[in-house]
Amino acid sequence: MSLSLDSAIAATRAELFDGALAPALLRIVTDTRTIERGDTFLALRGENFDGHVYVAQAIAKGAAAVIVDQPQARVPGTATLVVSDTLRAYMALAGAARAAFRGKVLAITGSTGKTTTKVLAAQLLAARFGERVLASPANENNEIGVSKLLLAASNEEHDVLVVEMGARNYGDIAALVAIARPHIGILTNVGEAHLEIMGSRERLAETKWAIFGEGARAVLNLDDAVARERAPSLPRDARWFAALDTDAALEFQGRSITLIGRTLLRERDGQRVRDYDIDVLLPGKHNRYNLAAALAAACELGVEVEAMVPLVPGLHLPPGRFESVLLRNGVRVIYDAYNANASGMIAALDAFAQEPGAAHIAVLASMAELGSEAPALHERVGAHAAATNVDWLLAGGEFAQELARGAHDAGLSWERIATFATNDDAVRWLRERSRTGDVVLLKGSRKYKLEEVLQGLQV
């Protein structure tokens, strides 16, 4: 979305220098690798970079204007907007772009399933909107990623924006909602992610619940305790989603709900019930919840269920989510290590238990940012691994011993449990122990880089 010079100055309260040279419309870019002639370069700063270093390079590549918060970064002869803080300015410009956007905005947050639900929703929305759906790439879900998406929107090209919103700190979602102002908000669940940083489960719940702070219609998980507790505070009824066989769904008396099994989709609106034959090929019950959320939100945006049902068998997951890789030695690896918290680990183990294999080997790295609850949560995950009949547990990371202890206390013998200090150690162990027909799960926090295990096994 290109913004007029006047609207950009108004949004950012910038001081303009060399204004006579400024373009009438500003297309904001933060990466010099993507600059086109006439663009406006905004110099962001992060822990390991400072965009102000690249101002001269941006101008050399054709930038017609720059936005900086360091006056000394000005280049005479180039239109320059000097702001108090470039990140805040970027978000303000994104808010101005959102105000100019005439389509609908769907926002998604939650402790697990955000990216998968976003990817599924974008595919389903194509049933009505075709290529006029713009979704956040990868997991660009922070202030920079959300702002980037809003500024990329175009009334000429897009009817729906699908915005993923992540939170590492208390209050993060409210700041994103203030600029994106979604019409529909999906809360996948409230789990344990970033408990150490948030400070408490209540602060975590408040942060996630802020997705509805600007009036978005709520799409909620019936099996999520926070959603059930807080839903009465919403100004209008929520739309719910759940697995078809959940006990809560059988007792639910609300206005509308989307229920999904592997072969049946049920839409219930009060006393009206509509059933559809469906073929869900996505692995795991947790992905049926993600699909149900995406279906419910798409319905709220006017997509007919009948148009979406034929798309379901062909839906794909984002990279790093339960990817199946067959090695040359006949061992199959399930790579699901994009990130991890306790509920996500448990869901992955449940899905892994349904995978065919001669022996099931779970390679679990530790989870990050769980604070004082970390030891107990790791023991809980280890116990669940034993309960799902994992044949071998290979545990790594800071809380490897807690994972191992939880599994042993739940019935897995010590002979079936090992720990690894490095990813190379895990590769060596798997090469020695795994056999043709075995299936291996790689799951853990992003910091442990379990993709290195997969890469090592492929050599």
Side-chain angles (χ1 to χ4, degrees):
M1 185 79 68
S2 294
L3 300 172
S4 71
L5 178 63
D6 288 343
S7 64
I9 292 173
T12 60
R13 300 181 181 179
E15 185 177 1
L16 177 64
F17 295 87
D18 290 316
L21 302 173
L25 292 175
L26 276 57
R27 192 181 87 97
I28 312 299
V29 178
T30 63
D31 187 337
T32 56
R33 293 170 296 185
T34 62
I35 283 181
E36 299 176 7
R37 183 161 298 279
D39 285 347
T40 295
F41 175 69
L42 185 144
L44 288 172
R45 287 193 311 277
E47 292 182 4
N48 302 309
F49 69 92
D50 185 348
H52 292 81
V53 173
Y54 300 100
V55 167
Q57 182 182 111
I59 295 170
K61 293 187 70 173
V66 297
I67 301 174
V68 298
D69 58 21
Q70 298 175 5
Q72 64 272 24
R74 286 180 52 208
V75 175
T78 299
T80 303
L81 282 73
V82 179
V83 298
S84 60
D85 180 274
T86 49
L87 176 57
R88 287 202 295 269
Y90 195 41
M91 294 177 70
L93 291 166
R98 166 63 185 90
F101 181 64
R102 296 190 293 270
K104 297 293 186 180
V105 178
L106 165 62
I108 303 165
T109 195
S111 295
T112 61
K114 294 185 296 296
T115 304
T116 296
T117 302
K118 173 195 67 184
V119 168
L120 296 176
Q123 294 172 75
L124 293 170
L125 287 166
R128 175 177 177 182
F129 299 103
E131 296 182 356
R132 295 183 64 82
V133 178
L134 179 65
S136 307
N139 71 324
E140 295 184 3
N141 59 22
N142 61 8
E143 299 95 329
I144 294 174
V146 171
S147 297
K148 178 181 176 182
L149 181 79
L150 295 173
L151 284 161
S154 164
N155 287 317
E156 291 70 36
E157 298 179 14
H158 307 120
D159 291 322
V160 181
L161 306 183
V162 186
V163 187
E164 180 182 342
M165 296 183 174
R168 281 181 52 84
N169 299 293
Y170 178 66
D172 278 355
I173 298 299
L176 300 178
V177 168
I179 60 172
R181 298 194 298 283
H183 298 89
I184 310 292
I186 298 175
L187 177 58
T188 60
N189 49 54
V190 179
E192 312 84 11
H194 310 308
L195 266 177
E196 182 176 32
I197 296 173
M198 293 289 180
S200 71
R201 289 181 180 272
E202 180 63 23
R203 285 166 64 87
L204 175 61
E206 287 180 16
T207 295
K208 301 293 187 185
W209 197 256
I211 192 171
F212 311 119
E214 295 285 338
R217 172 75 187 277
V219 177
L220 298 175
N221 183 344
L222 188 61
D223 284 335
D224 185 74
V226 170
R228 293 196 306 271
E229 176 186 345
R230 290 177 173 255
S233 69
L234 294 168
R236 55 177 171 160
D237 290 342
R239 185 180 187 119
W240 297 85
F241 63 90
L244 187 63
D245 56 356
T246 185
D247 292 338
L250 298 175
E251 302 169 1
F252 182 67
Q253 300 298 318
R255 189 184 72 83
S256 59
I257 185 167
T258 297
L259 302 166
I260 195 164
R262 283 207 174 275
T263 59
L264 180 67
L265 167 65
R266 175 165 293 166
E267 288 287 339
R268 209 166 80 205
D269 191 351
Q271 298 303 311
R272 184 188 181 199
V273 177
R274 292 175 293 161
D275 286 347
Y276 303 87
D277 293 330
I278 200 167
D279 189 11
V280 180
L281 303 180
L282 302 173
K285 188 174 183 178
H286 63 297
N287 278 321
R288 293 203 293 278
Y289 277 82
N290 295 333
L291 174 57
L295 284 162
C299 287
E300 288 295 318
L301 289 168
V303 186
E304 295 293 335
V305 177
E306 292 83 358
M308 293 187 283
V309 167
L311 301 180
V312 171
L315 295 174
H316 61 80
L317 298 175
R321 276 73 171 181
F322 225 81
E323 290 184 27
S324 180
V325 179
L326 183 63
L327 303 178
R328 288 193 296 269
N329 63 358
V331 173
R332 190 161 58 94
V333 178
I334 303 294
Y335 175 69
D336 193 35
Y338 183 81
N339 221 328
N341 57 31
S343 55
M345 295 276 264
I346 288 169
L349 286 165
D350 285 340
F352 182 57
Q354 303 302 313
E355 293 292 315
H360 285 66
I361 304 170
V363 181
L364 304 182
S366 299
M367 301 171 284
E369 299 177 353
L370 295 177
S372 61
E373 296 190 34
L377 288 170
H378 282 85
E379 289 186 13
R380 177 184 165 197
V381 168
H384 197 80
T388 53
N389 295 318
V390 163
D391 296 292
W392 296 89
L393 172 63
L394 186 56
E398 182 180 357
F399 296 97
Q401 296 302 323
E402 285 79 1
L403 286 166
R405 183 166 56 248
H408 177 261
D409 290 349
L412 194 62
S413 68
W414 285 119
E415 290 76 17
R416 295 279 177 169
I417 301 171
T419 59
F420 64 97
T422 69
N423 288 336
D424 286 340
D425 293 338
V427 171
R428 281 191 291 271
W429 190 96
L430 289 166
R431 283 178 173 165
E432 292 172 3
R433 301 297 183 94
S434 61
R435 300 290 183 266
T436 297
D438 291 350
V439 59
V440 177
L441 173 67
L442 301 180
K443 182 70 176 174
S445 182
R446 188 76 200 91
K447 67 182 285 188
Y448 294 105
K449 300 180 179 179
L450 287 185
E451 69 275 7
E452 293 176 352
V453 177
L454 175 59
Q455 293 162 2
L457 292 172
Q458 290 175 307
V459 174

